[in-house]
């Protein structure tokens, strides 16, 4: 049950109250695959410029990340520079240089086209359509987007909603897309436009899985030390998708478990700068943290009011 | 196992994007007791002016609210006027007239002094101390506070923390009191200053019960229609305390169940203006909504990663 991600591969320069990094590995496809590969091999399609430290990507290949779908184009790699507020609640983009990403046209290698689990990272919705035309028979397609595409490519995005199983966005994006500030109505609106499920990420508060007749809530893992929120949403997606690919399942129960795995991966992402939070994480650690969610939410209500 | 609340009894004028009310019954003791009395009788200590519509309080007495500890003082009742933003995420206080509340000195009637469950609503910490000097042997003392007291009566508030079992505040208050923006560290800080437990209310996101070695998270009940957030926190407290008083228990399991009951009562509070959300609610409704939390958070993790 192969797992494919198409997204950005970037060099991030991040300023937080706790320190800074320059030109560190980042981008949605990188966070997704570093998190996901703890559970299942990941096939990546993206683009880098000829200045990208590909040796660093190669080092990550041993984790089970197949970078063979990453194109090397002539020009500068995608760079993002951002600064977080003292409480990490907001961030300001200082600079975005798209470089070779500006002309990215995802080409899915023949060996990746039969992927059963497909994650469309946050790229131009027209390119997301292009990916769907190249994959043959996916079991589950999940897509992300952002405010920029909601504003500039609304029609393509709305058409895309009719072709995906799950839209996975953060609360601001869900509100902007639906035009409704109530997060549950926003989720309902999205379901009416195609996907059978919507995942709404709420940062430090957790995430919602909204389905036609049910809603599931997973809190964020309680962390006393958060260093860098960058990539938490993509790490969540990586954990979510890799768990389902590993199980080869899209059952209701496995989707809920995938939400917990996603929240677990999001928690590792924010504990260190960039992807460093995953450096030492083992499957055993993941399992341990997943089970900590049981105590965090467990309550027996069978005889609550008798 | 009697339940006592000491707090404000106010007349609220509230503007929301969905309508407005003028001089409606409000205040912490009113929200607390209207919610709590669905589960257990409530004894109230407070003060009203000679302009208060006491007939409306009397009508609520049939629910099991004992208003005999409410003093009628000569002067104007406490009035609060506020306006919510379009998305109900923030509010502006337009006017506060303390009236007789400015000189409130809680006098606990002899028949209330043996209360086992005591809730100190958000009033001057010195008055909260005064209440504790009048109750004889409470099993559980829970107190609320607000930014105003954190700034103006810090010493009295810190001394109070050493005398209560649970501090129940919202996330902004926890951050301001501890001087720490990380909510889990803020909770830890509070535990180091007295209470064995802290409940941190996070509005539409839910609430945390932080104990020395465990944390419990209850999400907010998913509501597609929210009309007026006023009083949700006090209704939460009323449900929380009344559940424990009803069970006569402060066990770990019952405290978690009490969090769910609190979240349930908070959800009724916000569905209508003022206390109207409770008008038609029955114990059967409460039970039904409590059980809806099971599906909202249930996930089986026993064999998540095998």
């Amino acid at each position: 049950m192969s797992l494919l991600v198409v997204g950005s591969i970037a060099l991030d320069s991040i300023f937080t109250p706790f320190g800074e990094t320059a030109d560190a590995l980042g981008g949605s496809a990188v966070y997704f695959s570093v998190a996901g590969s703890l559970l299942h091999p990941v096939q990546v399609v993206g683009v880098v410029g000829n200045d990208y430290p590909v040796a660093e990507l190669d080092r990550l290949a041993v984790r089970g990340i197949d970078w063979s779908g990453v194109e090397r184009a002539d020009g500068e790699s995608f760079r993002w520079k951002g600064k977080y507020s003292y409480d990490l609640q907001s961030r300001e983009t200082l600079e975005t240089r798209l470089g070779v990403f500006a002309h990215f046209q995802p080409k899915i290698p023949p060996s990746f086209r039969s992927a059963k689990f497909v994650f469309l990272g946050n790229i131009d919705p027209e390119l997301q359509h292009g990916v769907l035309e190249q994959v043959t028979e996916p079991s589950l397609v999940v897509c992300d987007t952002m405010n920029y595409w909601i504003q500039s490519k609304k029609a393509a995005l709305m058409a895309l909603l009719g072709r995906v199983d799950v839209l996975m966005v953060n609360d601001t994006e869900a509100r902007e897309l639906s035009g409704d500030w109530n997060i549950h109505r926003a989720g309902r609106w999205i379901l009416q436009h195609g996907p059978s499920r919507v995942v709404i990420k709420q940062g430090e508060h957790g995430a919602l899985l909204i389905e036609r007749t049910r809603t599931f809530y997973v809190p964020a893992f309680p962390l006393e030390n958060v260093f860098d929120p960058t990539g938490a949403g993509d790490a969540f997606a990586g954990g979510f998708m890799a768990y389902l690919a590993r199980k080869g399942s899209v059952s209701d129960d496995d989707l809920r478990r995938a939400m917990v795995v996603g929240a677990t991966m999001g928690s590792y992402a924010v504990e260190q700068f960039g992807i460093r939070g995953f450096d030492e994480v083992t499957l055993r650690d993941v399992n341990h943290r997943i089970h900590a969610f049981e105590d965090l939410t467990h309550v027996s209500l069978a005889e609550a009011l008798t």
Side-chain angles (χ1 to χ4, degrees), chain A:
Chain A
M1 289 285 187
S2 56
L3 169 59
L4 170 68
V5 56
V6 182
S8 60
I9 301 174
L11 292 171
D12 289 344
S13 297
I14 299 164
F15 301 82
T16 86
F18 314 111
E20 55 188 81
T21 53
D23 282 351
L25 263 59
S28 62
V30 169
Y31 279 102
F32 180 98
S33 55
V34 168
S37 61
L38 277 161
L39 300 179
H40 194 76
V42 183
Q43 301 168 336
V44 183
V45 168
V47 65
V48 295
N50 43 24
D51 58 348
Y52 205 84
V54 286
E56 291 191 45
L57 293 183
D58 290 341
R59 260 202 300 279
L60 294 169
V62 297
R63 305 169 72 109
I65 306 174
D66 184 343
W67 301 106
S68 65
V70 177
E71 188 186 337
R72 300 186 193 193
D74 198 28
E76 242 194 358
S77 297
F78 179 22
R79 278 180 171 76
W80 179 77
K81 192 182 285 190
K83 185 179 176 179
Y84 286 89
S85 61
Y86 75 100
D87 58 1
L88 306 179
Q89 296 296 298
S90 62
R91 74 181 186 195
E92 183 192 353
T93 290
L94 302 176
E95 191 179 17
T96 302
R97 279 151 65 189
L98 291 176
V100 296
F101 196 62
H103 304 289
F104 177 44
Q105 292 284 345
K107 287 175 276 300
I108 315 300
S111 61
F112 288 6
R113 290 183 192 159
S114 58
K116 288 294 173 197
F117 293 83
V118 176
F119 183 71
L120 305 173
N122 163 35
I123 57 175
D124 186 332
E126 292 176 14
L127 301 184
Q128 292 174 317
H129 278 284
V131 172
L132 292 184
E133 273 134 37
Q134 296 174 67
V135 293
T136 53
E137 213 177 355
S139 302
L140 185 77
V141 176
V142 179
C143 88
D144 188 8
T145 191
M146 69 182 291
N147 295 354
Y148 180 77
W149 306 120
I150 294 170
Q151 290 156 20
S152 64
K153 295 278 178 89
K154 185 74 171 273
L157 181 58
M158 293 307 298
L160 186 73
L161 288 186
R163 302 179 74 183
V164 305
D165 301 294
V166 181
L167 179 71
M168 182 180 283
V169 288
N170 68 34
D171 42 11
T172 310
E173 291 153 357
R175 290 187 169 112
E176 182 151 351
L177 178 60
S178 64
D180 198 325
W181 52 263
N182 178 289
I183 207 68
H184 300 285
R185 283 199 308 257
R188 197 73 46 219
W189 186 95
I190 292 165
L191 293 183
Q192 283 159 1
H193 289 82
S196 59
R197 294 175 168 106
V198 54
V199 174
I200 301 179
K201 297 168 289 181
Q202 303 188 291
E204 62 168 330
H205 296 296
L208 286 161
L209 170 66
I210 301 179
E211 303 173 295
R212 304 219 184 279
T213 58
R214 297 171 80 194
T215 294
F216 174 66
Y217 191 88
V218 62
F221 187 75
L223 292 176
E224 294 196 14
N225 291 293
V226 174
F227 286 95
D228 174 14
T230 312
D234 294 307
F236 183 104
F240 180 88
M241 294 292 283
Y243 180 76
L244 295 172
R246 180 186 176 98
K247 296 283 292 257
S249 164
V250 291
S251 74
D252 288 351
D253 284 349
D254 280 318
L255 278 155
R256 287 185 168 215
R257 285 189 273 263
M259 291 287 289
V260 176
V261 177
T264 299
M265 295 302 177
S267 73
Y268 290 123
V270 304
E271 284 187 302
Q272 299 289 338
F273 281 100
I275 58 171
R276 282 191 232 154
F278 293 96
D279 280 357
E280 309 289 326
V281 179
T282 64
L283 194 59
R284 188 189 172 90
D285 297 327
V286 175
N287 210 20
H288 188 76
R289 193 166 280 195
I290 286 172
H291 285 286
F293 277 89
E294 286 186 314
D295 193 55
L296 182 62
T297 61
H298 179 73
V299 55
S300 169
L301 295 168
E303 293 175 33
L305 270 182
T306 49

